[in-house]
Amino acid sequence: MNIISKYKLCFALLLGLGLSSCDKDFEEINVNPNAPEDVPAAVILPAAQQSAASRLFGASLNLTYAETWAQHIAKIQYIDEDRYEFRPDAIAIHWDALYSGPLYDTQLIIQKAEENGNQAMEGAGRALRALIYQNMTDLWGDIPYFEALQGTEGNMTPVYDEQEAIYMDLLQELEAANTLLAAGTGTIGGDLMYGGDIMQWRRFANSLRLRLLIHMADVAPAIAKEGIEQIAGNPDMYPIFESNDHNAELAFLGAQPYRNPWFENAVTRDDHAVSQTLVQLLGAKDDPRLAVYAKPAAEPVAGAGVQFRGNTYVGQPNGALVQPSLPTVSRIGDLYRGTETQPMYVMTYSEVMFILAEAAARGWNVGITAAEAYNEGIMASMLLNRITDEAAILAYLAQPSVAYALQANKMEAISEQKWLALFGNGIEAFTEVRRTGYPDEVTEPVASAYPGRGVALRFPYSIQEQSTNRANVTAASAGITDFLFGERLWWDVD
């Protein structure tokens, strides 16, 4: 018997003698401690919050697309996206990443919370999931919702649900989230947004519900009115944001990889400036936020831009035909572009006040007058932007271009101030431009790839979906022309 045969025999004998022992210990031996099979919800939640916020409010989908199409921002290099020459691969990445990342994670959070009887965590998971879906449907309109995330069950071609149906379900989800959170059982571990504070999560869920309801104000006014009055009329059952301390935000430590995404982008890129639309609106109102949102132009052309407190601010026209001389235009201000630790604001108290201002201006009973809510919204935005001189803020509120009582078009005044306060939140600003038509200074980009079509009405669908889910995306695309135009979103009736 040669040595190889001897080893084969010995192995066979050992295998036979030790078979039962091997069976007993095999799974234990082969468990990888660095790849646990069951991850707790408290570990998944911070990952979901980080990925959702970074994707929705970061430097690509937000800064390059939504903020630019809302015309807070303008491109000064690689101007294509500002002309609506979008990059299909970038859109596909955002679409896929939102479904496979934070949406899948929130589904796991909810499932695990249900299994463990943790109502607080389930409520937080439902509220976070609603936020992601709300932002997605407000960008794309009809999207996979009721059949989404069923790939493991064999459904690789989910139906695109109508935005109206998605909205109605999201309203129910947010009410359920508030109820679960109010039940007082369980904890919210790993929470990066509110540190596990259940009351803060209730405020967020109900404030987010207000956002959806005001979006519906023109298309489903009876539902919007009933819902907003229900929330505003019962603060014990439906607490909402009452100060900037309640803002939904994601903070950053300031060290890599935990740095603000706009700051991170600015380390290697210089593609963005503040828009001409933004600078001119702020300058016309002598608005102190101009010096926060923008930097003075380094070498302004004589006579260009806006003079403000000894400095010249020059906004870039959206979708310009040619690249400007870079020193002649104003970049984004240091608070937003040059601060590693600047939070990403998911939703703010200022926005809630403008929602109530609009509701009150429509004659709905929200426990506050339109003028009071309007002024409070502006005040909250100023404070959030570190403008703390109360006398200066009151003087601003009293000037003829701002004072609520002096505005001939109250809805325009509210919408314009809301748009100004939403700087940094491109998706919501883009939504408001389409929903309200204000500011009316937001117009077709100078060198639009689709001249005569006006402002974009939506985000284009993922090119990947055209290949993998063609029938459903084709059905959802009925009436859409040139990817961005034609069929309006459900709430866009203007």
Side-chain angles (χ1 to χ4, degrees):
M1 182 181 291
N2 62 34
I3 190 167
I4 295 175
S5 297
K6 285 169 68 177
Y7 277 120
K8 285 181 179 178
L9 177 61
C10 289
F11 178 74
L13 289 170
L14 288 169
L15 182 63
L17 290 171
L19 188 60
S20 60
S21 177
C22 287
D23 280 347
K24 183 178 71 176
D25 298 333
F26 184 79
E27 290 184 2
E28 184 177 326
I29 292 170
N30 284 276
V31 170
N32 180 356
N34 297 316
E37 294 180 3
D38 183 39
V39 181
V43 175
I44 303 172
L45 178 61
Q49 291 173 318
Q50 174 69 32
S51 60
S54 295
R55 183 67 57 182
L56 294 172
F57 308 107
S60 179
L61 185 151
N62 184 28
L63 181 60
T64 295
Y65 285 95
E67 274 284 64
T68 300
W69 291 4
Q71 296 189 14
H72 282 155
I73 302 300
K75 295 293 293 293
I76 53 175
Q77 297 193 84
Y78 309 101
I79 301 174
D80 308 43
E81 296 92 345
D82 206 350
R83 302 176 185 134
Y84 298 147
E85 294 177 294
F86 60 89
R87 302 176 194 276
D89 56 337
I91 299 297
I93 288 170
H94 293 310
W95 173 279
D96 293 344
L98 286 164
Y99 275 110
S100 64
L103 280 176
Y104 180 72
D105 284 346
T106 53
Q107 179 171 277
L108 290 178
I109 291 166
I110 294 165
Q111 289 173 352
K112 290 176 180 294
E114 287 177 332
E115 292 167 3
N116 295 325
N118 187 343
Q119 292 178 304
M121 180 65 83
E122 182 185 347
R126 289 184 182 277
L128 181 58
R129 183 173 64 178
L131 170 78
I132 301 164
Y133 272 127
Q134 172 260 310
N135 279 278
M136 291 186 70
T137 190
D138 284 345
L139 289 175
W140 283 284
D142 299 351
I143 59 172
Y145 180 77
F146 294 105
E147 292 184 7
L149 307 174
Q150 295 180 0
T152 56
E153 301 167 23
N155 185 358
M156 304 302 291
T157 55
V159 169
Y160 281 54
D161 298 294
E162 292 184 354
Q163 187 178 31
E164 179 180 3
I166 295 169
Y167 254 64
M168 296 307 171
D169 195 70
L170 288 175
L171 292 174
Q172 294 179 19
E173 281 288 291
L174 288 167
E175 182 147 22
N178 178 59
T179 300
L180 287 162
L181 289 158
T185 63
T187 59
I188 307 173
D191 176 20
L192 297 178
M193 200 157 71
Y194 286 128
D197 189 319
I198 292 173
M199 177 55 78
Q200 292 280 56
W201 274 97
R202 291 185 66 195
R203 293 183 188 281
F204 169 62
N206 295 315
S207 297
L208 183 59
R209 191 167 155 227
L210 286 177
R211 176 191 281 178
L212 271 77
L213 288 163
I214 204 66
H215 287 177
M216 299 163 51
D218 289 324
V219 70
I223 296 173
K225 178 178 184 291
E226 180 183 8
I228 290 177
E229 288 185 342
Q230 177 193 50
I231 294 170
N234 195 341
D236 290 334
M237 183 175 290
Y238 300 108
I240 59 174
F241 294 168
E242 295 179 350
S243 75
N244 281 330
D245 291 337
H246 301 153
N247 291 341
E249 62 185 59
L250 191 71
F252 294 90
L253 298 176
Q256 287 184 318
Y258 306 110
R259 303 197 296 193
N260 177 282
W262 286 25
F263 172 90
E264 194 70 48
N265 177 264
V267 172
T268 57
R269 308 294 307 180
D270 185 21
D271 301 339
H272 304 86
V274 285
S275 75
Q276 184 179 80
T277 305
L278 181 71
V279 169
Q280 289 182 342
L281 275 172
L282 291 167
K285 298 179 186 301
D286 197 34
D287 194 313
R289 287 171 292 187
L290 176 56
V292 179
Y293 293 168
K295 292 181 180 180
E299 299 176 13
V301 174
V306 169
Q307 296 297 314
F308 182 74
R309 298 180 184 175
N311 291 308
T312 302
Y313 296 84
V314 182
Q316 168 71 0
N318 280 95
L321 184 62
V322 296
Q323 176 180 311
S325 172
L326 297 183
T328 66
V329 294
S330 292
R331 303 304 199 278
I332 301 167
D334 278 338
L335 180 63
Y336 287 87
R337 189 78 158 146
T339 306
E340 298 169 288
T341 55
Q342 171 68 1
M344 284 189 294
Y345 297 112
V346 174
M347 190 173 185
T348 65
Y349 170 55
S350 176
E351 181 187 341
V352 169
M353 285 297 100
F354 287 120
I355 291 169
L356 295 181
E358 179 179 339
R362 290 176 179 272
W364 302 349
N365 183 10
V366 293
I368 188 173
T369 68
E372 289 169 341
Y374 170 87
N375 287 340
E376 185 66 17
I378 294 172
M379 180 84 73
S381 175
M382 295 287 184
L383 294 174
L384 190 65
N385 285 286
R386 304 183 187 180
I387 298 164
T388 57
D389 185 337
E390 185 175 353
I393 297 172
L394 292 174
Y396 174 81
L397 292 172
Q399 66 185 33
S401 63
V402 177
Y404 186 78
L406 300 180
Q407 306 311 303
N409 186 331
K410 308 297 191 197
M411 285 298 183
E412 180 178 11
I414 293 167
S415 299
E416 195 172 89
Q417 284 291 342
K418 185 178 184 181
W419 181 84
L420 291 172
L422 283 168
F423 184 82
N425 186 339
I427 299 175
E428 193 59 23
F430 183 44
T431 293
E432 288 298 286
V433 165
R434 291 171 291 159
R435 181 180 75 87
T436 69
Y438 299 118
D440 53 19
E441 290 85 354
V442 175
T443 57
E444 180 178 302
V446 175
S448 172
Y450 305 97
R453 294 293 180 84
V455 175
L457 300 178
R458 61 176 63 245
F459 265 31
Y461 283 127
S462 164
I463 193 172
Q464 184 66 26
E465 284 285 282
Q466 303 285 348
S467 300
T468 60
N469 195 11
R470 179 177 291 275
N472 288 318
V473 76
T474 298
S477 300
I480 298 174
T481 56
D482 292 328
F483 311 103
L484 312 176
F485 304 96
E487 186 72 16
R488 294 175 179 268
L489 270 63
W490 170 65
W491 40 249
D492 182 4
V493 298
D494 184 5

